[in-house]
Amino acid sequence: FLEFPQEDTLALNCEQYMLGPSLLVAPRLWEIPGEYSVSLPQGKWFDYWSGKELEGKRTISVNPDLSQMPVYV
C-alpha cells in the first residue's frame, strides 16, 4: 500500500508484498493445493517467469509450481 496508496484494497492484503517499487511478490502462504488470488495494482505488469504481460487493477488466479514463487515486474 506504500507504493500504491490510491488503491485502498491493497492495504488490507497481507499475503503479497512489494519488494522495492517495481517487484510484486505473491508467495503461497497456505499448504492447501490449488489456485489462489493475487491482486495486481494499476498499470502493466509482467510475469517474471514467463514474460507474459498482464493488465493491472484486477485480481488474477495463480497456481504456481512449488519451485516458482509468483513475481510480477
Side-chain angles (χ1 to χ4, degrees), residues 1-11 13 16-26 38-46 54-60 71-73:
F1 69 93
L2 294 174
E3 298 296 334
F4 298 93
Q6 68 278 13
E7 297 191 35
D8 53 352
T9 58
L10 295 178
N13 188 331
Q16 62 189 50
Y17 60 92
M18 293 295 297
L19 183 61
S22 302
L23 292 177
L24 174 71
V25 183
V38 174
S39 296
L40 295 174
Q42 67 183 11
K44 292 195 184 287
W45 292 91
F46 294 89
L54 302 165
E55 193 61 42
K57 200 157 180 121
R58 66 184 181 126
T59 300
I60 60 171
V71 177
Y72 302 93
V73 181

Side-chain angles (χ1 to χ4, degrees), residues 24-58:
L24 174 71
V25 183
R28 180 185 300 271
L29 298 178
W30 313 106
E31 295 179 8
I32 302 169
E35 294 185 348
Y36 62 96
S37 297
V38 174
S39 296
L40 295 174
Q42 67 183 11
K44 292 195 184 287
W45 292 91
F46 294 89
D47 183 308
Y48 177 82
W49 301 106
S50 70
K52 180 180 175 184
E53 183 177 331
L54 302 165
E55 193 61 42
K57 200 157 180 121
R58 66 184 181 126

